[in-house]
């Protein structure tokens, strides 16, 4: 199979840059600065000293479905990022105050993201979104009692703080970020990338080890009464709608190993409750349910670290939601990340993860009803989708990393018919390969 031009060009660029990487570079030179465009002649540091931090970045990736899935194909997707963080104490003398805003410009090579090839519940890319320029998050925060309490209000992304795993964050598939338990069940994917919603988050940390998070969000990122794709109804992230129910989330966090050993861990239990009307998975809206909820637990633990900062960390997440009103009734994922696998590559990270999404019993029974009504014993019964991912992040410079990635998706969509197959067969297990590059300007 011939490598697509974009992948070949990216590989050529990486090779050329590595070939030109100086053996003993100036510590203040290009390859050692924190951002590609540097300190702007000192202006960037001056702004930061006065409470203004500007973030500029770019993530670009080529992913290809090379076997199975709905159809074979390659896609390129890019996301330019602008973020502004304000320390209002330094800027205005507003003690404990801060503000944040971010904007994304998202684009595709041909308008076809990788998920349109795989047909999976878990999107192969955690930056996948419709092409647009979008306001992302925009909030004010106030801290009290020596930072033990903080209140954040504005347009918030729940996946910034809830159900997160730092170790799982080294993987690319979307399910290892905002898991399918939330993305497949909450209204229009919930208040998560690329559609945060208006909300308020309160954090209370009575000790260094214990933190309690509580959040309330507008329940429908599309803004309610959306007859099409939620991203089209809220195309630029400026709907700020308060319609469509309310999502309540809570999470208790417990940190361990915050000492010289470096074997830190973070353990979480949490859940959500969403108001609104939810269709019965077997009988539809004619037998709708009031409100929805789910529960989850997260473990993230470093188990080994040496003096050179080589480390091995594990993660695991598990959660459940009622079968009668949710597509995914049980979710679990687990994996590890190893830092410094190769000699003289202390910053490289090898990450491996497996994510399992079980289709609810009621959804499966709906498929069985179709079998009976159509007298078609070959009509597929949905069961589960399982994602296996292996990813390797290689920093080329503090401002640039390259990340080859391989994914194997079992039963994309949960074992459903392939709309691209005229014979009515199911979507085959998919193999996705690709490479991502990330830049900090």
């Amino acid at each position: 199979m011939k490598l697509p031009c974009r992948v070949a060009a990216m590989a050529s660029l990486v090779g050329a840059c590595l070939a030109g990487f100086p053996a003993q570079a100036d510590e203040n030179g290009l390859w050692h600065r924190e951002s590609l465009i540097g300190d702007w002649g000192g202006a960037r540091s001056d702004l930061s000293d006065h409470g203004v931090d500007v973030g500029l970045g770019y993530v670009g990736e080529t992913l290809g479905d090379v076997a199975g899935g709905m159809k074979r194909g390659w896609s390129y997707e890019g996301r330019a990022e602008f973020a502004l963080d304000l320390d209002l104490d330094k800027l205005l003398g507003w003690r404990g105050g801060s503000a944040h805003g971010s904007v994304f410009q998202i684009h595709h090579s041909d308008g076809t993201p990788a998920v349109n090839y795989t047909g999976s519940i878990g999107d192969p890319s955690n930056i996948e979104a419709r092409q647009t320029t979008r306001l992302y998050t925009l909030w004010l925060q106030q801290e009290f009692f020596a930072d033990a309490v903080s209140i954040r209000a504005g347009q918030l992304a729940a996946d910034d703080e809830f159900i997160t795993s730092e170790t799982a964050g080294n993987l690319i598939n979307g399910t290892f970020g905002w898991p399918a338990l939330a993305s497949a069940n909450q209204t229009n994917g919930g208040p998560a990338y690329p559609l945060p919603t208006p909300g308020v988050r309160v954090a209370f940390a009575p000790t260094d080890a214990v933190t309690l998070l509580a959040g309330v969000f507008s329940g429908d990122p599309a803004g309610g009464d959306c007859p099409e794709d939620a991203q089209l109804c809220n195309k630029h992230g400026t709907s700020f709608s308060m319609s469509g129910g309310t999502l309540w989330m809570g999470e208790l966090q417990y940190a361990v190993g915050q000492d010289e050993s470096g074997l830190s861990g973070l353990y979480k239990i949490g859940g959500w409750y969403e108001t609104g009307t939810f269709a019965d998975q077997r009988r539809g809206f004619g037998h709708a349910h009031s409100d929805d909820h789910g529960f989850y637990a997260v473990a993230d633990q470093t188990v080994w670290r040496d003096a050179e900062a080589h480390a091995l960390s594990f993660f695991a997440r598990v959660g459940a939601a009622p079968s009668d009103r949710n597509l995914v009734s049980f979710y679990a994922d687990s994996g590890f990340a190893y830092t410094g696998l190769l000699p003289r590559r202390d910053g490289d990270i090898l990450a491996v993860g497996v994510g399992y999404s079980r289709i609810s019993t009621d959804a499966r029974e709906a498929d069985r009803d179709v079998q009976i009504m159509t007298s078609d014993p070959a009509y597929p019964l949905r069961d589960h989708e399982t994602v296996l991912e292996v990813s390797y992040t290689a920093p080329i410079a503090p401002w640039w990393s390259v990340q080859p990635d391989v994914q194997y998706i079992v039963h994309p969509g949960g074992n459903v018919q392939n709309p691209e197959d005229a014979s009515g067969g199911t979507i085959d297990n998919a193999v996705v390969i690709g490479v991502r590059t990330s830049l900090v300007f």
Side-chain angles (χ1 to χ4, degrees):
M1 181 179 60
K2 192 172 181 179
L3 203 64
C5 293
R6 290 185 181 274
V7 178
M10 188 176 293
S12 176
L13 176 63
V14 172
C17 289
L18 287 175
F21 192 92
Q24 294 182 337
D26 179 0
E27 291 186 0
N28 297 315
L30 174 66
W31 299 103
H32 290 270
R33 62 179 58 163
E34 291 300 315
S35 59
L36 174 60
I37 58 177
D39 198 30
W40 309 346
R44 204 168 196 169
S45 294
D46 288 342
L47 284 170
S48 183
D49 290 342
H50 290 85
V52 180
D53 287 297
V54 178
L56 299 168
Y58 184 81
V59 180
E61 64 187 17
T62 295
L63 293 174
D65 185 326
V66 297
M70 290 196 301
K71 55 186 178 180
R72 256 61 70 209
W74 291 84
S75 67
Y76 178 84
E77 183 156 12
R79 187 180 75 186
E81 309 171 2
F82 169 79
L84 183 66
D85 287 280
L86 304 179
D87 183 329
L88 299 180
D89 190 356
K90 293 180 180 179
L91 192 63
L92 303 174
W94 178 351
R95 180 169 297 181
S98 59
H100 168 85
S102 57
V103 174
F104 292 149
Q105 203 294 312
I106 303 161
H107 47 277
H108 301 272
S109 55
D110 60 359
T112 304
V115 72
N116 285 17
Y117 294 112
T118 63
S120 53
I121 298 171
D123 196 313
S125 170
N126 56 14
I127 68 166
E128 192 279 313
R130 285 191 174 272
Q131 299 187 95
T132 187
T133 298
R134 174 179 298 283
L135 174 67
Y136 190 53
T137 49
L138 183 66
W139 47 257
L140 283 170
Q141 179 170 287
Q142 178 65 55
E143 297 179 341
F144 305 91
F145 309 117
D147 302 343
V149 177
S150 71
I151 299 176
R152 181 179 295 180
Q155 180 148 285
L156 308 180
D159 58 336
D160 281 347
E161 298 185 280
F162 292 87
I163 330 181
T164 61
S165 162
E166 182 177 354
T167 303
N170 292 295
L171 297 163
I172 285 178
N173 191 288
T175 198
F176 295 112
W178 190 238
L181 182 73
S183 64
N185 292 336
Q186 293 179 6
T187 303
N188 284 315
Y193 179 82
L195 288 173
T197 66
V200 177
R201 188 275 288 144
V202 178
F204 173 50
T207 72
D208 291 340
V210 176
T211 301
L212 177 64
L213 289 181
V216 56
F217 306 87
S218 180
D220 189 348
D225 300 321
C226 177
E228 53 186 343
D229 188 320
Q231 293 184 50
L232 295 178
C233 292
N234 189 3
K235 184 175 182 180
H236 299 293
T238 54
S239 293
F240 306 121
S241 175
M242 301 297 289
S243 63
T246 303
L247 175 68
W248 301 82
M249 297 194 71
E251 184 175 287
L252 177 64
Q253 304 178 354
Y254 183 68
V256 300
Q258 309 299 309
D259 53 30
E260 304 80 25
S261 70
L263 300 182
S264 59
L266 189 58
Y267 297 82
K268 309 174 182 181
I269 57 171
W272 75 83
Y273 185 88
E274 184 173 3
T275 65
T277 302
F278 296 84
D280 187 274
Q281 286 293 313
R282 183 174 185 180
R283 298 175 292 177
F285 272 107
H287 297 81
H289 302 275
S290 296
D291 305 339
D292 193 15
H293 61 275
F295 303 95
Y296 61 88
V298 181
D300 212 335
Q301 179 68 55
T302 300
V303 297
W304 173 79
R305 185 185 299 272
D306 67 10
E308 284 74 41
H310 301 155
L312 177 63
S313 299
F314 285 91
F315 75 91
R317 299 185 298 177
V318 63
S323 175
D324 57 0
R325 68 202 72 184
N326 291 289
L327 175 65
V328 175
S329 60
F330 176 79
Y331 179 85
D333 63 23
S334 186
F336 69 87
Y338 189 95
T339 304
L341 178 66
L342 299 179
R344 302 180 63 185
R345 298 293 307 172
D346 294 342
D348 290 9
I349 300 174
L350 170 67
V352 177
V354 179
Y356 172 83
S357 302
R358 186 172 70 199
I359 304 301
S360 70
T361 301
D362 288 71
R364 183 178 177 86
E365 289 302 313
D367 296 336
R368 198 180 304 278
D369 291 341
V370 173
Q371 274 190 349
I372 295 172
M373 288 186 294
T374 61
S375 300
D376 180 8
Y379 187 85
L381 303 179
R382 286 171 288 177
D383 47 18
H384 69 90
E385 175 178 292
T386 301
V387 177
L388 171 63
E389 180 176 354
V390 179
S391 197
Y392 192 89
T393 304
I396 309 302
W399 47 267
W400 181 22
S401 67
V402 175
Q403 185 175 4
D405 189 81
V406 178
Q407 301 177 35
Y408 184 64
I409 305 174
V410 180
H411 290 183
N415 192 39
V416 296
Q417 285 186 322
N418 186 351
E420 301 290 331
D421 184 353
S423 67
T426 58
I427 302 177
D428 292 334
N429 299 345
V431 177
V432 178
I433 64 173
V435 61
R436 169 179 288 187
T437 187
S438 301
L439 300 167
V440 177
F441 294 98

